[in-house]
Every structure is written in C-alpha cells, then in structure tokens.
Short mmCIF file of all heavy atoms in Angstrom, two decimals:
data_model
loop_
_atom_site.label_atom_id
_atom_site.label_comp_id
_atom_site.label_asym_id
_atom_site.label_seq_id
_atom_site.Cartn_x
_atom_site.Cartn_y
_atom_site.Cartn_z
N ARG S 1150 71.25 -136.69 283.25
CA ARG S 1150 71.98 -137.54 282.31
C ARG S 1150 72.35 -136.71 281.09
O ARG S 1150 71.71 -135.72 280.77
CB ARG S 1150 71.16 -138.77 281.91
CG ARG S 1150 69.94 -138.50 281.05
CD ARG S 1150 69.17 -139.78 280.81
NE ARG S 1150 67.93 -139.54 280.08
CZ ARG S 1150 66.92 -140.37 280.04
NH1 ARG S 1150 67.00 -141.54 280.70
NH2 ARG S 1150 65.83 -140.09 279.34
N GLN S 1151 73.37 -137.19 280.41
CA GLN S 1151 73.86 -136.47 279.24
C GLN S 1151 74.37 -137.46 278.21
O GLN S 1151 75.02 -138.45 278.55
CB GLN S 1151 74.96 -135.49 279.63
CG GLN S 1151 75.36 -134.53 278.53
CD GLN S 1151 76.20 -133.38 279.04
OE1 GLN S 1151 76.87 -133.49 280.07
NE2 GLN S 1151 76.16 -132.25 278.34
N VAL S 1152 74.06 -137.17 276.96
CA VAL S 1152 74.62 -137.92 275.83
C VAL S 1152 75.42 -136.95 274.99
O VAL S 1152 75.17 -135.74 274.99
CB VAL S 1152 73.52 -138.61 275.00
CG1 VAL S 1152 72.80 -139.65 275.85
CG2 VAL S 1152 72.54 -137.60 274.44
N PRO S 1153 76.40 -137.45 274.24
CA PRO S 1153 77.24 -136.56 273.44
C PRO S 1153 76.42 -135.71 272.49
O PRO S 1153 75.49 -136.20 271.83
CB PRO S 1153 78.15 -137.54 272.67
CG PRO S 1153 78.23 -138.73 273.56
CD PRO S 1153 76.88 -138.85 274.19
N GLY S 1154 76.74 -134.43 272.46
CA GLY S 1154 76.07 -133.52 271.55
C GLY S 1154 74.76 -132.96 272.05
O GLY S 1154 74.12 -132.15 271.36
N LYS S 1155 74.35 -133.37 273.24
CA LYS S 1155 73.09 -132.87 273.80
C LYS S 1155 73.33 -132.22 275.16
O LYS S 1155 74.32 -132.49 275.82
CB LYS S 1155 72.08 -134.01 273.93
CG LYS S 1155 71.60 -134.57 272.61
CD LYS S 1155 70.42 -135.51 272.80
CE LYS S 1155 69.88 -135.99 271.48
NZ LYS S 1155 68.71 -136.89 271.65
N GLU S 1156 72.38 -131.39 275.56
CA GLU S 1156 72.47 -130.75 276.86
C GLU S 1156 72.18 -131.75 277.98
O GLU S 1156 71.52 -132.77 277.77
CB GLU S 1156 71.47 -129.59 276.94
CG GLU S 1156 71.81 -128.44 276.01
CD GLU S 1156 70.88 -127.26 276.19
OE1 GLU S 1156 69.90 -127.38 276.95
OE2 GLU S 1156 71.13 -126.21 275.57
N ARG S 1157 72.68 -131.41 279.14
CA ARG S 1157 72.42 -132.24 280.31
C ARG S 1157 70.93 -132.18 280.65
O ARG S 1157 70.35 -131.10 280.76
CB ARG S 1157 73.27 -131.76 281.47
CG ARG S 1157 73.42 -132.72 282.60
CD ARG S 1157 74.56 -132.32 283.51
NE ARG S 1157 75.86 -132.52 282.86
CZ ARG S 1157 77.02 -132.46 283.52
NH1 ARG S 1157 77.04 -132.20 284.82
NH2 ARG S 1157 78.15 -132.63 282.87
N GLU S 1158 70.32 -133.34 280.81
CA GLU S 1158 68.87 -133.46 281.01
C GLU S 1158 68.55 -133.79 282.46
O GLU S 1158 69.10 -134.76 283.01
CB GLU S 1158 68.31 -134.56 280.10
CG GLU S 1158 66.85 -134.87 280.29
CD GLU S 1158 66.41 -136.13 279.56
OE1 GLU S 1158 67.27 -136.88 279.08
OE2 GLU S 1158 65.18 -136.36 279.48
N GLY S 1159 67.65 -133.03 283.06
CA GLY S 1159 67.22 -133.33 284.41
C GLY S 1159 66.34 -134.57 284.44
O GLY S 1159 65.36 -134.64 283.70
N ILE S 1160 66.67 -135.53 285.29
CA ILE S 1160 65.91 -136.77 285.43
C ILE S 1160 65.01 -136.72 286.65
O ILE S 1160 63.84 -137.08 286.59
CB ILE S 1160 66.87 -137.96 285.54
CG1 ILE S 1160 67.70 -138.10 284.28
CG2 ILE S 1160 66.10 -139.25 285.82
CD1 ILE S 1160 66.87 -138.31 283.04
N SER S 1161 65.58 -136.28 287.75
CA SER S 1161 64.81 -136.27 288.99
C SER S 1161 65.47 -135.33 289.98
O SER S 1161 66.67 -135.05 289.89
CB SER S 1161 64.73 -137.68 289.58
OG SER S 1161 64.00 -137.68 290.79
N CYS S 1162 64.67 -134.85 290.92
CA CYS S 1162 65.21 -134.12 292.06
C CYS S 1162 64.49 -134.60 293.30
O CYS S 1162 63.25 -134.67 293.32
CB CYS S 1162 65.03 -132.61 291.88
SG CYS S 1162 65.89 -131.64 293.14
N MET S 1163 65.27 -134.93 294.31
CA MET S 1163 64.75 -135.48 295.56
C MET S 1163 64.98 -134.48 296.68
O MET S 1163 66.12 -134.18 297.03
CB MET S 1163 65.47 -136.80 295.87
CG MET S 1163 65.06 -137.45 297.18
SD MET S 1163 65.89 -139.04 297.41
CE MET S 1163 67.59 -138.54 297.48
N SER S 1164 63.90 -133.96 297.22
CA SER S 1164 64.02 -133.05 298.36
C SER S 1164 64.44 -133.81 299.61
O SER S 1164 64.47 -135.05 299.63
CB SER S 1164 62.67 -132.37 298.61
OG SER S 1164 62.27 -131.61 297.50
N SER S 1165 64.76 -133.09 300.66
CA SER S 1165 65.15 -133.72 301.92
C SER S 1165 63.98 -134.53 302.47
O SER S 1165 62.82 -134.34 302.06
CB SER S 1165 65.59 -132.67 302.91
OG SER S 1165 64.52 -131.79 303.17
N SER S 1166 64.28 -135.42 303.39
CA SER S 1166 63.26 -136.33 303.91
C SER S 1166 62.11 -135.59 304.57
O SER S 1166 60.95 -136.00 304.44
CB SER S 1166 63.90 -137.29 304.92
OG SER S 1166 64.89 -138.07 304.31
N ASP S 1167 62.39 -134.50 305.26
CA ASP S 1167 61.32 -133.79 305.96
C ASP S 1167 60.38 -133.06 305.00
O ASP S 1167 59.24 -132.78 305.35
CB ASP S 1167 61.91 -132.81 306.98
CG ASP S 1167 62.82 -131.79 306.35
OD1 ASP S 1167 63.38 -132.08 305.28
OD2 ASP S 1167 62.98 -130.70 306.93
N ILE S 1168 60.81 -132.79 303.79
CA ILE S 1168 59.95 -132.16 302.78
C ILE S 1168 59.24 -133.24 301.97
O ILE S 1168 58.03 -133.17 301.74
CB ILE S 1168 60.75 -131.22 301.88
CG1 ILE S 1168 61.26 -130.04 302.69
CG2 ILE S 1168 59.92 -130.78 300.69
CD1 ILE S 1168 62.13 -129.09 301.93
N GLY S 1169 60.00 -134.22 301.51
CA GLY S 1169 59.40 -135.38 300.88
C GLY S 1169 58.81 -135.17 299.51
O GLY S 1169 57.98 -135.97 299.06
N ILE S 1170 59.20 -134.12 298.81
CA ILE S 1170 58.68 -133.87 297.46
C ILE S 1170 59.77 -134.20 296.44
O ILE S 1170 60.89 -133.70 296.54
CB ILE S 1170 58.23 -132.41 297.29
CG1 ILE S 1170 57.04 -132.13 298.22
CG2 ILE S 1170 57.85 -132.14 295.83
CD1 ILE S 1170 56.61 -130.69 298.21
N ASN S 1171 59.43 -135.05 295.49
CA ASN S 1171 60.37 -135.44 294.44
C ASN S 1171 59.77 -135.10 293.09
O ASN S 1171 58.55 -135.17 292.90
CB ASN S 1171 60.66 -136.93 294.51
CG ASN S 1171 61.17 -137.37 295.87
OD1 ASN S 1171 61.92 -136.63 296.53
ND2 ASN S 1171 60.77 -138.55 296.31
N TRP S 1172 60.64 -134.79 292.14
CA TRP S 1172 60.21 -134.48 290.78
C TRP S 1172 60.87 -135.43 289.80
O TRP S 1172 62.01 -135.84 290.01
CB TRP S 1172 60.58 -133.04 290.42
CG TRP S 1172 59.95 -132.03 291.33
CD1 TRP S 1172 60.53 -131.38 292.37
CD2 TRP S 1172 58.60 -131.56 291.28
NE1 TRP S 1172 59.63 -130.53 292.97
CE2 TRP S 1172 58.43 -130.62 292.31
CE3 TRP S 1172 57.51 -131.84 290.45
CZ2 TRP S 1172 57.24 -129.97 292.54
CZ3 TRP S 1172 56.32 -131.18 290.67
CH2 TRP S 1172 56.19 -130.26 291.71
N TYR S 1173 60.14 -135.74 288.74
CA TYR S 1173 60.65 -136.63 287.70
C TYR S 1173 60.37 -136.05 286.33
O TYR S 1173 59.31 -135.46 286.10
CB TYR S 1173 60.00 -138.01 287.79
CG TYR S 1173 60.30 -138.77 289.07
CD1 TYR S 1173 59.45 -138.68 290.17
CD2 TYR S 1173 61.42 -139.58 289.16
CE1 TYR S 1173 59.71 -139.37 291.34
CE2 TYR S 1173 61.70 -140.29 290.33
CZ TYR S 1173 60.85 -140.17 291.41
OH TYR S 1173 61.11 -140.86 292.57
N ALA S 1174 61.31 -136.29 285.42
CA ALA S 1174 61.05 -135.96 284.03
C ALA S 1174 59.97 -136.88 283.47
O ALA S 1174 59.87 -138.05 283.87
CB ALA S 1174 62.34 -136.11 283.21
N GLY S 1175 59.20 -136.35 282.53
CA GLY S 1175 58.14 -137.15 281.95
C GLY S 1175 58.65 -138.43 281.29
O GLY S 1175 57.95 -139.44 281.26
N SER S 1176 59.86 -138.38 280.76
CA SER S 1176 60.41 -139.53 280.05
C SER S 1176 60.73 -140.71 280.96
O SER S 1176 60.90 -141.84 280.48
CB SER S 1176 61.68 -139.11 279.30
OG SER S 1176 62.64 -138.60 280.21
N VAL S 1177 60.83 -140.46 282.28
CA VAL S 1177 61.20 -141.54 283.20
C VAL S 1177 60.14 -141.80 284.27
O VAL S 1177 60.26 -142.77 285.03
CB VAL S 1177 62.55 -141.25 283.90
CG1 VAL S 1177 63.63 -140.98 282.85
CG2 VAL S 1177 62.44 -140.12 284.89
N ARG S 1178 59.13 -140.94 284.33
CA ARG S 1178 58.12 -141.08 285.39
C ARG S 1178 57.43 -142.44 285.28
O ARG S 1178 57.04 -142.87 284.21
CB ARG S 1178 57.10 -139.96 285.29
CG ARG S 1178 56.18 -139.85 286.51
CD ARG S 1178 55.27 -138.63 286.39
NE ARG S 1178 56.04 -137.39 286.41
CZ ARG S 1178 56.03 -136.52 285.40
NH1 ARG S 1178 55.31 -136.75 284.33
NH2 ARG S 1178 56.74 -135.42 285.50
N GLY S 1179 57.32 -143.12 286.42
CA GLY S 1179 56.73 -144.44 286.46
C GLY S 1179 57.73 -145.56 286.26
O GLY S 1179 57.42 -146.73 286.53
N ARG S 1180 58.93 -145.23 285.80
CA ARG S 1180 59.99 -146.24 285.61
C ARG S 1180 61.15 -146.03 286.58
O ARG S 1180 61.78 -146.99 287.02
CB ARG S 1180 60.53 -146.18 284.19
CG ARG S 1180 59.49 -146.44 283.12
CD ARG S 1180 60.14 -146.57 281.73
NE ARG S 1180 60.79 -145.34 281.31
CZ ARG S 1180 62.07 -145.26 280.96
NH1 ARG S 1180 62.84 -146.33 281.00
NH2 ARG S 1180 62.58 -144.11 280.57
N PHE S 1181 61.45 -144.79 286.89
CA PHE S 1181 62.56 -144.45 287.78
C PHE S 1181 62.00 -143.97 289.12
O PHE S 1181 60.93 -143.35 289.18
CB PHE S 1181 63.41 -143.34 287.19
CG PHE S 1181 64.23 -143.71 285.97
CD1 PHE S 1181 63.99 -144.88 285.27
CD2 PHE S 1181 65.23 -142.86 285.53
CE1 PHE S 1181 64.74 -145.20 284.15
CE2 PHE S 1181 65.99 -143.16 284.41
CZ PHE S 1181 65.74 -144.34 283.72
N SER S 1182 62.76 -144.22 290.18
CA SER S 1182 62.39 -143.70 291.50
C SER S 1182 63.65 -143.37 292.28
O SER S 1182 64.70 -143.97 292.07
CB SER S 1182 61.53 -144.71 292.26
OG SER S 1182 62.25 -145.90 292.51
N VAL S 1183 63.52 -142.39 293.17
CA VAL S 1183 64.65 -141.96 293.98
C VAL S 1183 64.38 -142.25 295.45
O VAL S 1183 63.23 -142.32 295.89
CB VAL S 1183 64.94 -140.46 293.79
CG1 VAL S 1183 65.45 -140.18 292.38
CG2 VAL S 1183 63.70 -139.61 294.09
#
C-alpha cells in the first residue's frame, strides 16, 4: 500500500500453495489475511 508522500509499504506476501508460508507486516498482523 502507498499513501501520498510515503514509500510503498509491504503488507503481505503469499507463497505458492505448496510452500504455504505467508508474511505480514506488524501493522496488519492479526487483522489482515491472504
């Protein structure tokens, strides 16, 4: 996500189904899911 004047912020990354590892930013962990 990005807001004006700020750098693009990583929210999450979802690996392929066979790997099954996902990452979340601390600011959204527990609220967002992929």
Side-chain angles (χ1 to χ4, degrees):
R1150 69 184 175 198
Q1151 190 166 25
V1152 296
K1155 293 190 176 181
E1156 293 185 353
R1157 197 164 290 191
E1158 175 191 11
I1160 298 300
S1161 179
C1162 189
M1163 177 177 63
S1164 299
S1165 61
S1166 298
D1167 59 335
I1168 294 177
I1170 295 175
N1171 304 324
W1172 300 100
Y1173 296 92
S1176 59
V1177 305
R1178 192 175 295 120
R1180 300 188 296 124
F1181 291 14
S1182 63
V1183 292

